[in-house]
Amino acid sequence: MHTTPLLADRVAVVTGAGGGIGAATARLFARHGAHVFIADIDAERSAQIADEITMSGGSAQLVVTDVRDTAQVAILARTVLDRFGRVDVLVNNVGHWLRHPGNFVDTDPQLWDELYRVNMHHVLLVTHAFLPTMIDQNAGSIVNVSSVEGLRGYPEDPVYAAFKAAVIHFTRSLAVQVGRDGVRVNAIGPDVTESLQVPYSQWLSDEEQRQWPQWVPVGRMGLPDDQARVILFLASDLSAFVTGHTIPTDGGTSAAGGWYRSSRPTGRAWTNRPVAP
């Protein structure tokens, strides 16, 4: 069946596109005709994604970038604009919970800063680098990848949750500010999705694997492609009248429940898994 490309000849930047949701998004964008810039800190892994796209007939270029670094983000923006003179889509996908910190009272400001830089600061930095061009061309779509933990209470790491919530509110507020400039800003809030940071296929016990139908309303684990399809929708003209929103791409988990105290001998005080708490 023929499918009309949704991003034909558009220039798209996807951060953290060396794996997981970012890689799935880069592949899907390329299949829909976009010229994709892969911005990732891991050169080897990202080069594999770029090669895979080009060998399949798509357009992809790798720019090795630490999006937490102002100078490197400036180089990324110059590289994109020097080649095409425009940017149509920006996906701020980078994010990480880094490590389970325990109770907030046991954490330290260094960890807070690390969480801020990898989950919130880069969203500001990269958006700031590309937004002026979008405003000048009176067109553009920005998609931020937050988390379901920015939409609900997350007792395992309130600091991470706070920064993910900040991404959502930045999305909402910036969308209102730049709407008349032709720029749309939206976000997604993933949950229970296989990724580099959350490899459920490796983490879950056989007992937990059998519980997906009880754990997630749609009955299965999420895959990177599930997230990429929603990002494509938000990036394309299909969502031309949508801005300022965060779509919970969670298989229904936020609608169905949340976190519960656990007495199981796992070393974890909280669980969101379908086993006896």
Side-chain angles (χ1 to χ4, degrees), residues 104-153:
F104 174 71
V105 295
D106 298 320
T107 63
D108 59 73
Q110 180 179 347
L111 175 59
W112 310 340
D113 185 62
E114 292 174 10
L115 287 167
Y116 166 67
R117 288 175 60 78
V118 78
N119 289 295
M120 180 62 197
H121 179 258
H122 77 88
V123 175
L124 304 178
L125 199 58
V126 181
T127 301
H128 192 260
F130 285 104
L131 182 59
T133 299
M134 290 184 171
I135 292 174
D136 288 345
Q137 66 198 32
N138 196 41
S141 176
I142 299 171
V143 184
N144 298 319
V145 178
S146 180
S147 168
V148 70
E149 308 305 357
L151 293 163
R152 68 185 181 191

Side-chain angles (χ1 to χ4, degrees), residues 100-272:
H100 289 289
N103 291 328
F104 174 71
V105 295
D106 298 320
T107 63
D108 59 73
Q110 180 179 347
L111 175 59
W112 310 340
D113 185 62
E114 292 174 10
L115 287 167
Y116 166 67
R117 288 175 60 78
V118 78
N119 289 295
M120 180 62 197
H121 179 258
H122 77 88
V123 175
L124 304 178
L125 199 58
V126 181
T127 301
H128 192 260
F130 285 104
L131 182 59
T133 299
M134 290 184 171
I135 292 174
D136 288 345
Q137 66 198 32
N138 196 41
S141 176
I142 299 171
V143 184
N144 298 319
V145 178
S146 180
S147 168
V148 70
E149 308 305 357
L151 293 163
R152 68 185 181 191
Y154 183 39
E156 286 209 323
D157 194 343
V159 177
Y160 170 85
F163 292 135
K164 287 302 187 181
V167 170
I168 290 171
H169 201 60
F170 174 67
T171 297
R172 181 184 299 122
S173 301
L174 184 63
V176 175
Q177 185 180 90
V178 300
R180 292 181 65 178
D181 297 309
V183 182
R184 296 185 299 109
V185 190
N186 291 287
I188 64 169
D191 190 21
V192 292
T193 297
E194 181 86 357
S195 69
L196 293 175
Q197 293 81 18
V198 190
Y200 284 107
S201 59
Q202 301 174 34
W203 280 3
L204 301 188
S205 66
D206 290 342
E207 177 189 4
E208 290 171 320
Q209 292 282 7
R210 290 191 294 270
Q211 294 297 321
W212 280 112
Q214 284 70 47
W215 184 8
V216 184
V218 301
R220 64 172 176 86
M221 174 180 70
L223 300 173
D225 282 342
D226 293 315
Q227 306 296 331
R229 293 185 191 104
V230 181
I231 294 172
L232 174 64
F233 164 72
L234 292 173
S236 75
D237 291 340
L238 291 177
S239 60
F241 204 57
V242 179
T243 195
H245 290 283
T246 297
I247 299 177
T249 47
D250 60 8
T253 57
S254 60
W259 288 86
Y260 304 91
R261 290 188 181 275
S262 175
S263 60
R264 291 169 60 84
T266 62
R268 300 280 291 275
W270 298 85
T271 183
N272 68 341

Side-chain angles (χ1 to χ4, degrees), residues 63-79 116-117 121-130:
V63 184
V64 179
T65 309
D66 183 343
V67 294
R68 299 168 297 182
D69 182 86
T70 303
Q72 294 188 44
V73 169
I75 292 171
L76 169 65
R78 284 200 305 271
T79 301
Y116 166 67
R117 288 175 60 78
H121 179 258
H122 77 88
V123 175
L124 304 178
L125 199 58
V126 181
T127 301
H128 192 260
F130 285 104

Side-chain angles (χ1 to χ4, degrees), residues 37 61 74-86 130:
F37 282 84
Q61 179 175 336
I75 292 171
L76 169 65
R78 284 200 305 271
T79 301
V80 174
L81 298 177
D82 285 350
R83 180 170 178 187
F84 287 101
R86 62 182 292 114
F130 285 104

